[in-house]
Amino acid sequence: MSGIASRIKKCRERAAGIGSWEQPVKFLKQDYEALRQQCLETGNLFCDESFPACPSSLGYNELGPDKTKDVEWKRPGDLCKNPEFLIKGATRTDICQGQLGDCWLLSAIASLTLNNELLSRVVPEGQDFGSDYKGIFHFRFWQYGEWVDVVIDDRLPTKKNKLIFVKSDTTDEFWSALLEKAYSKLNGSYEALKGGSVTEGFEDFTGGISERYELNEAPSNFFKIIQMALRTGSLLGCSTESSAGKQTCTSQNLVRSHAYSITGAETVSYQGNKEKLLRIRNPWGHKEWTGRWSDNAPEWKEIPLEERKRLNVNSENGEFWMAFSEFLSNFSRVEICNLTPDTLASDEVHKWNVVVHNGSWRTGSSAGGCRNYPKTFWTNPQFKILLNEPDEDSDDEDKLCGFLVGVMQKNRRRQWKMGVDGNSKWEKIGFAIYENIPFHMILWMEHQYKDQTSIQLKKEFFTTHSPCARPENFIGRREVMMRHALPPGQYLIVPSTFEPNKDGDFAVRVFTMKQADIRAIDVEVGAFLEDEEVDEDDISRNFENLLDYLPGKDAEISAFELQRILNRIVSNREDIKTDGFSLQTCRNVISLMDKDASGKIGQLELKLFLNKLQKMLKIFKKMDADESGTMNSHEMRLALEEAGYTLNNTVIENIVARYANSDLVIDFDDFVGCLIRLETMLKMFKQLDPDDKRETGLDIYQWLCPILT
């Protein structure tokens, strides 16, 4: 019951605005104001039991308990005389990397300091070490479609009385160290932050969607793209590569396999020409480029002093300028985070329209893998997007709708400490976009599914149609994104893992320049069940002598007697595999067929059930494509449709979890048990709500899910 209840609760919270930046979700249900008030009343400093000052909060492998014995957790007041949260506002020099390999995160934080509005969303104002200090702080992060508020205490890991992770270049300033701790708590530990992409940090600080540019394939107007991105408030990161994967230095002091942030893009006059320059920030706070246009390079002597001051040319603060041409030859990738409408205050800045849908891949039901697996690909979640208006700047002859699509796998960092390691830290994910669903296909679907308009397309569609757009490869990182432009029309987005049967939760995000209608495709739960009539000619010869087992002509049989009879029947069949009917299934049969509430069934009810059982057997054998005598979970899905049920992905997931074995195989007795239980529950719901007025407080989907598990 808890699963469906939590889904209903989540829907209601979103409708009430919970999850927006103004009303963030309270992470681990911790209320900052209530906890702070409690500390004020008791006079105690806050100690966070949900992220304690102990080895488990540090890590599980390289920061495991046996390797961090000398770490001490201390509050800022133990490290300096007058600690400050912020000193003269947040700046890029407040972020200096420590012993944790999270330069990707720190590069994102450095870019965040360039935009005070964005920073104030992540770092709420009014926090300090003043008279009301109680050792409690909080920060806000975007997580898969909603903002969350993370509460922490200010005990920080130290060695020899010094912070071992991120720090400010001012020793009595602590906002960046506390921000890193809050993000570590969100992801399960400090070690969970080791290794990542700058875009991940960008997105968790803004809710934006990121693009990646490989510099060996950069467009000709790439410098202009960078300038425009900086002007519109976008966050930019860049990185270097190393064939060995080690952070060694080049002859001009650039760090290989390292993430930097781009903080400026300017053009200056130099020797009669226009020179394009980029300002780069090293999150370490030192280790700067020593080539052309570096801090003490001779090129600056030909630039007026006022211009040098405007460009903030300083020495050894981790930030430096370099020529754009040399940037292209020394760096390998640039990542740009496009911001959502609610993060852009200026009306002059282009604003994307954003839609987020959450979904899941579940083994045996909705984790169908990529198009290499045609038998199961169609079972993946499907999303319909209707592009109505072409972009204003689209060519007159070729009206196109521009959009960004991103598929993001959720909560993987939190799972790393449970043994996920190596290249499998991220599942390989991707998606395919299919163009306008053909008119004849829409008519066919409406005819097949009684005029329902939200029908998941089946295998036949995907084996006869190719995607019109998809990322080049399935990639093992948190989010796979693609920018594309298509003519107005209806399209289908199918996100998937590369291999089938890979469990995971995901969010699919679509950014459009114009309004677009985007929705998850899922059927309305229901059933088309005919009234049963007895015709003895319809009863198979295999069941003819069943009546001989009745204890008397007018006698009734119990669940125990029915179990013996059914098991005797199936034991003589070689075309189906079964472990035998359970007593629970037989009780469900009695419950469904018992018209007089006696707890038993008589001859008429038994004949009705035999008729029903015969139909179930025909469906079972029809869907058992390999004649194995069993069905896999995907065949079970088709068999349920054949039996008259329309069930959405969540109900299918519950059925697979309840009735399939560890190999995702369903035998005949479990198939019968499932159909009997479905029919019983649907008829019971109909009795409770005969006019479909939802007087039960639940719809049929919400009714079925907890009952099936």
Side-chain angles (χ1 to χ4, degrees):
M1 176 66 83
S2 60
I4 186 64
S6 64
R7 284 188 178 133
I8 297 171
K9 182 174 181 289
K10 179 66 72 174
C11 290
R12 290 174 178 170
E13 288 177 346
R14 285 177 179 167
I18 304 298
S20 63
W21 172 77
E22 295 85 357
Q23 300 182 72
V25 173
K26 295 177 177 60
F27 185 64
L28 301 181
K29 299 181 180 180
Q30 290 180 302
D31 186 312
Y32 168 74
E33 293 296 343
L35 290 170
R36 185 171 181 276
Q37 184 60 38
Q38 183 178 339
C39 291
L40 288 171
E41 292 173 358
T42 61
N44 297 324
L45 295 180
F46 178 60
C47 292
D48 184 12
E49 295 181 358
S50 64
F51 196 65
C54 68
S56 64
S57 296
L58 292 173
Y60 42 87
N61 185 14
E62 294 182 17
L63 291 177
D66 57 328
K67 299 179 181 179
T68 55
K69 295 178 181 178
D70 55 345
V71 171
E72 296 181 275
W73 296 77
K74 294 189 176 183
R75 299 186 188 268
D78 300 326
L79 301 175
C80 65
K81 186 176 182 180
N82 296 305
E84 297 282 352
F85 186 72
L86 269 170
I87 298 177
K88 297 181 180 180
T91 65
R92 300 180 298 280
T93 59
D94 295 344
I95 303 103
C96 299
Q97 188 174 359
Q99 298 178 27
L100 187 61
D102 61 348
C103 59
W104 61 275
L105 174 65
L106 307 187
S107 295
I109 298 174
S111 295
L112 192 66
T113 63
L114 300 176
N115 189 317
N116 289 330
E117 182 184 356
L118 295 180
L119 183 68
S120 65
R121 289 171 177 256
V122 178
V123 186
E125 297 177 352
Q127 303 188 87
D128 56 40
F129 289 86
S131 58
D132 289 337
Y133 160 75
K134 286 300 170 186
I136 183 170
F137 295 87
H138 68 131
F139 299 86
R140 291 174 180 168
F141 306 101
W142 180 90
Q143 288 286 280
Y144 319 117
E146 62 185 17
W147 285 86
V148 296
D149 190 81
V150 181
V151 177
I152 58 167
D153 64 34
D154 62 348
R155 293 176 293 178
L156 297 168
T158 68
K159 286 184 181 180
K160 297 180 180 179
N161 230 35
K162 293 183 179 180
L163 295 175
I164 59 175
F165 300 136
V166 74
K167 58 183 73 67
S168 172
D169 64 349
T170 303
T171 57
D172 53 355
E173 185 178 45
F174 290 92
W175 75 269
S176 58
L178 294 170
L179 171 60
E180 183 187 46
K181 178 175 181 177
Y183 198 65
S184 299
K185 176 180 177 178
L186 181 68
N187 287 282
S189 68
Y190 276 92
E191 188 170 355
L193 305 187
K194 183 181 178 182
S197 167
V198 178
T199 58
E200 190 176 344
F202 283 167
E203 292 174 346
D204 286 353
F205 295 150
T206 67
I209 192 167
S210 298
E211 300 179 82
R212 295 162 64 99
Y213 291 90
E214 301 299 330
L215 294 185
N216 58 358
E217 302 173 354
S220 58
N221 63 337
F222 192 50
F223 185 78
K224 184 178 180 180
I225 290 174
I226 292 175
Q227 282 187 312
M228 291 298 295
L230 288 169
R231 288 172 189 166
T232 56
S234 297
L235 306 182
L236 290 87
C238 56
S239 56
T240 56
E241 283 188 351
S242 167
S243 57
K246 297 181 179 180
Q247 287 190 319
T248 56
C249 283
T250 67
S251 59
Q252 293 174 309
N253 223 30
L254 286 179
V255 183
R256 299 184 180 96
S257 294
H258 191 46
Y260 295 76
S261 50
I262 300 176
T263 61
E266 298 285 347
T267 301
V268 298
S269 297
Y270 176 69
Q271 295 183 349
N273 296 312
K274 295 292 185 182
E275 183 84 59
K276 298 174 182 176
L277 302 179
L278 290 183
R279 186 173 61 203
I280 314 296
R281 161 92 183 142
N282 186 340
W284 290 354
H286 61 91
K287 213 52 126 170
E288 297 183 12
W289 162 256
T290 58
R292 295 178 60 240
W293 297 101
S294 58
D295 288 349
N296 299 311
E299 288 81 9
W300 290 111
K301 295 179 181 179
E302 299 188 36
I303 304 299
L305 180 60
E306 291 185 1
E307 182 77 348
R308 291 203 299 263
K309 289 182 178 180
R310 183 182 71 83
L311 297 180
N312 193 28
V313 181
N314 295 312
S315 59
E316 203 54 34
N317 62 353
E319 195 166 61
F320 54 87
W321 290 91
M322 68 187 304
F324 179 63
S325 58
E326 291 181 297
F327 171 81
L328 292 176
S329 59
N330 282 277
F331 283 78
S332 58
R333 180 182 298 120
V334 168
E335 296 162 303
I336 301 175
C337 182
N338 303 283
L339 303 184
T340 57
D342 63 326
T343 58
L344 296 171
S346 173
D347 292 332
E348 299 178 0
V349 176
H350 167 73
K351 298 180 180 180
W352 295 90
N353 298 292
V354 187
V355 178
V356 181
H357 279 287
N358 291 288
S360 60
W361 296 296
R362 290 293 178 265
T363 297
S365 58
S366 57
C370 69
R371 294 178 68 248
N372 294 348
Y373 304 90
K375 290 183 178 180
T376 57
F377 176 72
W378 67 274
T379 64
N380 286 300
Q382 300 173 15
F383 299 86
K384 181 171 65 177
I385 172 173
L386 184 62
L387 302 174
N388 295 311
E389 300 178 65
D391 301 338
E392 293 176 357
D393 58 354
S394 184
D395 296 336
D396 292 335
E397 296 180 359
D398 191 14
K399 295 291 186 180
L400 298 176
C401 307
F403 61 94
L404 295 170
V405 176
V407 174
M408 176 185 294
Q409 48 189 317
K410 299 167 62 173
N411 304 317
R412 291 283 294 185
R413 285 187 180 273
R414 297 180 200 172
Q415 300 169 12
W416 291 357
K417 64 182 179 182
M418 294 183 285
V420 180
D421 56 14
N423 295 328
S424 62
K425 282 186 174 181
W426 300 107
E427 287 292 351
K428 291 183 178 180
I429 61 172
F431 57 89
I433 300 176
Y434 291 82
E435 58 188 332
N436 306 43
I437 301 174
F439 183 68
H440 73 274
M441 183 65 70
I442 295 174
L443 291 179
W444 177 82
M445 289 192 306
E446 291 179 350
H447 173 72
Q448 287 287 104
Y449 296 98
K450 311 288 185 288
D451 298 325
Q452 293 186 43
T453 56
S454 239
I455 298 298
Q456 194 173 33
L457 292 179
K458 300 296 188 292
K459 181 178 72 172
E460 292 74 20
F461 175 82
F462 296 105
T463 54
T464 56
H465 293 77
S466 298
C468 62
R470 60 184 177 84
E472 185 175 349
N473 296 304
F474 276 70
I475 303 173
R477 59 173 179 246
R478 189 174 78 158
E479 184 173 40
V480 174
M481 193 281 303
M482 183 184 69
R483 179 192 287 264
H484 206 67
L486 293 169
Q490 181 173 283
Y491 299 88
L492 193 72
I493 302 172
V494 184
S496 73
T497 56
F498 181 74
E499 296 179 333
N501 295 328
K502 296 290 186 179
D503 287 333
D505 298 318
F506 68 87
V508 57
R509 299 192 292 164
V510 180
F511 282 44
T512 56
M513 296 188 179
K514 294 287 187 177
Q515 290 292 339
D517 181 24
I518 304 166
R519 64 186 64 181
I521 294 180
D522 216 346
V523 301
E524 182 178 343
V525 175
F528 179 71
L529 303 175
E530 299 177 346
D531 292 332
E532 298 287 346
E533 295 182 0
V534 176
D535 184 346
E536 293 191 18
D537 293 336
D538 289 338
I539 300 177
S540 169
R541 290 182 179 178
N542 293 321
F543 302 135
E544 278 181 345
N545 60 352
L546 181 61
L547 299 182
D548 295 338
Y549 296 109
L550 287 173
K553 184 177 180 180
D554 298 322
E556 295 184 324
I557 61 174
S558 67
F560 297 96
E561 293 165 327
L562 180 62
Q563 183 185 32
R564 289 197 298 271
I565 292 170
L566 294 181
N567 284 338
R568 183 182 294 249
I569 294 170
V570 296
S571 65
N572 295 326
R573 301 190 66 99
E574 297 181 355
D575 54 343
I576 57 174
K577 291 183 179 179
T578 174
D579 294 330
F581 283 84
S582 69
L583 185 59
Q584 183 60 51
T585 295
C586 294
R587 283 171 173 161
N588 288 338
V589 171
I590 299 292
S591 177
L592 175 65
M593 309 305 299
D594 181 15
K595 304 301 181 184
D596 57 4
S598 66
K600 296 183 178 182
I601 59 173
Q603 186 171 345
L604 178 60
E605 289 89 359
L606 183 60
K607 288 180 178 180
L608 285 169
F609 174 64
L610 289 181
N611 198 37
K612 192 184 297 290
L613 188 65
Q614 182 74 5
K615 292 180 179 179
M616 293 179 188
L617 180 61
K618 289 179 181 178
I619 293 172
F620 187 87
K621 289 175 64 64
K622 178 181 177 181
M623 295 304 166
D624 179 16
D626 58 0
E627 299 182 350
S628 63
T630 61
M631 287 193 299
N632 63 43
S633 58
H634 298 293
E635 290 171 339
M636 176 69 164
R637 186 177 191 144
L638 296 172
L640 290 167
E641 289 185 11
E642 184 77 10
Y645 295 94
T646 55
L647 305 174
N648 65 21
N649 281 335
T650 306
V651 176
I652 294 292
E653 288 172 12
N654 279 273
I655 287 174
V656 171
R658 169 66 178 81
Y659 292 99
N661 65 18
S662 58
D663 296 321
L664 302 178
V665 168
I666 297 151
D667 58 17
F668 182 65
D669 55 287
D670 280 326
F671 175 66
V672 173
C674 176
L675 290 183
I676 291 295
R677 189 156 179 80
L678 272 175
E679 184 175 349
T680 303
M681 294 302 105
L682 285 165
K683 287 183 175 179
M684 186 183 298
F685 183 84
K686 190 64 177 177
Q687 290 176 349
L688 294 172
D689 189 18
D691 300 320
D692 197 24
K693 294 181 179 179
R694 296 191 65 178
E695 294 175 351
T696 61
L698 301 173
D699 62 24
I700 184 63
Y701 151 70
Q702 296 164 348
W703 167 264
L704 277 179
C705 283
I707 290 174
L708 284 170
T709 53

